[in-house]
C-alpha cells in the first residue's frame, strides 16, 4: 500500500474526431424538409426547385434562414448551422462559407448539405447565392455527435454541463477552483484533461501506483472535473477547476471488496484537510439488504458526512424494477443520484429517466430514493488508455482522449461536479445545506415519482442567487455500524489470492477482509479518524492481497457505469 503524493505526467494533445450519427441525421433531414415546407415562401425540394414560379418571383425569393440561427449569430458572433443546398450546388456553398471566414465542419451528403461554423459574413455570402443554390439554413447547436461502431452509430451526450446550467456559473468565474473531489474508485490516470489537478491519494491494491488500469475512475473524474483541453473545451467536466483526490480500491480486473471501501472512507475522512476535500464521489455499491441502521458501510459514509464532506452516491443500474437502489446509496444522509437520458439534446423537453436507473424504495428500510436525477446516458468522459475497459470496448472511444458510457456512476459524477461549484460559491455551507440547495434548485423530473426521479432533476443555473438552503438532517437516525461485514457484501463474492500458483486462495466471507484479517468493527466505529489513527490502523499496517471475482461480475453488480456504447 502506497500513498501517492502527486500524480503527474504528460499526455499529448490530440484533436477529438467526431462523426455524424447517421440514424439521427435521417430524422433531421426529414424534419428539415418539413420545416422548409411550412415556412412562408419556401418550396419543396424537387429537381425543379421553383416549380411553376415566375421569373420575377424567383428573383425576389430569399434563402430560408431559421430565426434561431440569426439570434445565435447576433448573440455570439458565430453559430453552428446545417446548410442544405440543391443538388450540384454544394461546392459553391462550401466556398462561400470558407471565403467569408467560416468553417465547414462535416459533409452531410444524406441531406445534400454540410454543417458549418458561420460568421455574419459567411451567412451573407450564402444568402447572396440565393434560393436556387441554398435551400435552408438551420441551427445545429443542441446536438453533438461522436463515434461510430461496427453495429451502428450512437448519440453521445457531451452537453450535460449545459443541461444542468453549470455553463452559467462558468461564465461567472465559478469552476470549482479550490474544492477537492475525492473519488473512491479504480484509480485516476494522469491524462491531459486532469493535468496539474490530481492531488494526493492512496492506492489500496497490490498495484500500488494509483494508475487506473480498469478505466472506470478516470472516466468518472473527467465527467466531474475534466478541463476539456484535449477537445478545445467541448468535453469539459462540470467543475473544470476542481482538483481530484484519487482513492484506488480496485486494480485491472475491477475486483474490490467492502473492506477496501471501509479503509478508503476512513482515509478520506482522515486526510480531508490535507488535500482540501469537500466532495466525496462513490460510483459503486452492493446489493446488500442489511439495514442502514447497523451496516458498517452506511456508518462510514455517515461519518464522512458528519465530518463535513458532501457524499454523492450512484443509485445503481438495476432499474426499472423497484427496490433496486444499492448500498451505500440507501443511506438517508447522502445524496443518491439516478440517471436521465437526454436523447442527445441540451434541453430537457425530451429527457427520460434511463431504463437502467435504479428505483426505490430501499430494500431494507423502505426509504425514498433516489434524491435527484442527473444526465447519465451516452455520457462522454475521459479515456484511460490501455485499461481493461479501453481494451474490451474500443468502439466506445471518442477520438484519442475520450470514451462514451452510460450508468448512474456518471450521474453521480455530474452531481459531484455541481457540488464543487456550490462549495466554491458558498464554502461555509454544511453538507446538509448543499443538499438543501440542490433540492431547492432542482427542476421537475421527467416522471415526477419520488422513487423514480426523486425530488427532481439536477440544476445549478440559479445557484448564485440561492441563499437559503434550509435543510437540517441532525434528527435522522444514524447507523451504529454494528452489523456484519459479510452481510454488507450482499451477493458479491470475491476470491482472495494469497498464492494462486500454489493453490492458496480463500473466498472472502464473514468478517474476513481483503488483508486476510478479521474485521474489528468495534475498533472501526469507536476510533477517531485522523492521520495518526490511519497510520496506526490495521488498514495501513497490513498488506492488501490481490483479488478476483468468484461468481458475480463487477460490471453489473458494483461499478455503475456498465454500458460502454
Amino acid at each position: 500500500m502506497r500513498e501517492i503524493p502527486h500524480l503527474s505526467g504528460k499526455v499529448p494533445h490530440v484533436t477529438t474526431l467526431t462523426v455524424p450519427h447517421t440514424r439521427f441525421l435521417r430524422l433531421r433531414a426529414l424534419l428539415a424538409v418539413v420545416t422548409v415546407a411550412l415556412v412562408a415562401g419556401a418550396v419543396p425540394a424537387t429537381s425543379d426547385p421553383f416549380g411553376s414560379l415566375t421569373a420575377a418571383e424567383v428573383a425576389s425569393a430569399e434563402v430560408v434562414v431559421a430565426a434561431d440561427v440569426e439570434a445565435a449569430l447576433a448573440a455570439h458572433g458565430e453559430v453552428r448551422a446545417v446548410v442544405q443546398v440543391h443538388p450540384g450546388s454544394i461546392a459553391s456553398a462550401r466556398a462561400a462559407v470558407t471565403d467569408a471566414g467560416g468553417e465547414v465542419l462535416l459533409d452531410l451528403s444524406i441531406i445534400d448539405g454540410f454543417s458549418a461554423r458561420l460568421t455574419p459574413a459567411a451567412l451573407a455570402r450564402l444568402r447572396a447565392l440565393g434560393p436556387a443554390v441554398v435551400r435552408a439554413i438551420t441551427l445545429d447547436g443542441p446536438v453533438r455527435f461522436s463515434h461510430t461502431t461496427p453495429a451502428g452509430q450512437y448519440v453521445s451526450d457531451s452537453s450535460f454541463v449545459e443541461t444542468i446550467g453549470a455553463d452559467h456559473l462558468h461564465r461567472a468565474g465559478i469552476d470549482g477552483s479550490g474544492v477537492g473531489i475525492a473519488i473512491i474508485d479504480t484509480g485516476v490516470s494522469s491524462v491531459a484533461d486532469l493535468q496539474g489537478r490530481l492531488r494526493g491519494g492512496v492506492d489500496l491494491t497490490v498495484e500500488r501506483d494509483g494508475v487506473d488500469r480498469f478505466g472506470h475512475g478516470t472516466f468518472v473524474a473527467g465527467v466531474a472535473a475534466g478541463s476539456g483541453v484535449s477537445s478545445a473545451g467541448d468535453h469539459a467536466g462540470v467543475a473544470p477547476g476542481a482538483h481530484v483526490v484519487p482513492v484506488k480500491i480496485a486494480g485491472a480486473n475491477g475486483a474490490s471488496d467492502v473492506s477496501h471501501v471501509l479503509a478508503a472512507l476512513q482515509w478520506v475522512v482522515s486526510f480531508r484537510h490535507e488535500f482540501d476535500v469537500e466532495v466525496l464521489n462513490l460510483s459503486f455499491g452492493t446489493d446488500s439488504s442489511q439495514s442502514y441502521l447497523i451496516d458498517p458501510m452506511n456508518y462510514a459514509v455517515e461519518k464522512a458526512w458528519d465530518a463535513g464532506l458532501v457524499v454523492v452516491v450512484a443509485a445503481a443500474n438495476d432499474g426499472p424494477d423497484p427496490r433496486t437502489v444499492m448500498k451505500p446509496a440507501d443511506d438517508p444522509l447522502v445524496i443518491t443520484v439516478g440517471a436521465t437520458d437526454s436523447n442527445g439534446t441540451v434541453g430537457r423537453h425530451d429527457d427520460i429517466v434511463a431504463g437502467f436507473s435504479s428505483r426505490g424504495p430501499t430494500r431494507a428500510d423502505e426509504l425514498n430514493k433516489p434524491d435527484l436525477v442527473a444526465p447519465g446516458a451516452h455520457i462522454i468522459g475521459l479515456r484511460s488508455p490501455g485499461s481493461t475497459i479501453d481494451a474490451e470496448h474500443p468502439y466506445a472511444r471518442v477520438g484519442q482522449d475520450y470514451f462514451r458510457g452510460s450508468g448512474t456512476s456518471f450521474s453521480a459524477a455530474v452531481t459531484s461536479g455541481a457540488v464543487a461549484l456550490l462549495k466554491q460559491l458558498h464554502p461555509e455551507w454544511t453538507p446538509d445545506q448543499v443538499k438543501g440547495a440542490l433540492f431547492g434548485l432542482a427542476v421537475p423530473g421527467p416522471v415526477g415519482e419520488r422513487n423514480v426521479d426523486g425530488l427532481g432533476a439536477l440544476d445549478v443555473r440559479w445557484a448564485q442567487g440561492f441563499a437559503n438552503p434550509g435543510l437540517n438532517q441532525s434528527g435522522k437516525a444514524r447507523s451504529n455500524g454494528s452489523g456484519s461485514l459479510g452481510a454488507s457484501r450482499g451477493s458479491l463474492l470475491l476470491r482472495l489470492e494469497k498464492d494462486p500458483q500454489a493453490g492458496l486462495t480463500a473466498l472472502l466471507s464473514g468478517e474476513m477482509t481483503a488483508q486476510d484479517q478479521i474485521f474489528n468493527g468495534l475498533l472501526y466505529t469507536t476510533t477517531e479518524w485522523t492521520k495518526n489513527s490511519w497510520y496506526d490502523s490495521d488498514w495501513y499496517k497490513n498488506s492488501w492481497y490481490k483479488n478476483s471475482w468468484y461468481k458475480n461480475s463487477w460490471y453489473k453488480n458494483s461499478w455503475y457505469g456498465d454500458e460502454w456504447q
Side-chain angles (χ1 to χ4, degrees), residues 401-418:
D401 301 281
Y402 302 97
F403 216 70
R404 181 183 54 252
S406 296
T408 57
S409 279
F410 315 134
S411 305
V414 169
T415 306
S416 290

Side-chain angles (χ1 to χ4, degrees), residues 282 284-299 301-302 313-316 323-337 359-371 435 476-477 479 487-488 560:
L282 306 177
F284 57 80
T286 76
D287 59 358
S288 168
S289 58
Q290 183 166 233
S291 171
Y292 91 90
L293 290 168
I294 62 172
D295 190 89
M297 190 153 48
N298 289 101
Y299 172 86
V301 296
E302 290 178 5
V313 190
R323 292 178 173 78
T324 51
V325 170
M326 291 198 181
K327 187 176 295 299
D330 64 340
D331 197 276
L333 264 66
V334 305
I335 300 169
T336 301
V337 189
R359 274 70 162 166
T362 62
R363 282 185 175 91
D365 304 292
E366 295 289 316
L367 302 179
N368 291 328
K369 286 286 183 175
D371 298 308
K435 186 175 179 180
K476 288 186 176 178
S479 173
S488 192
Y560 295 151

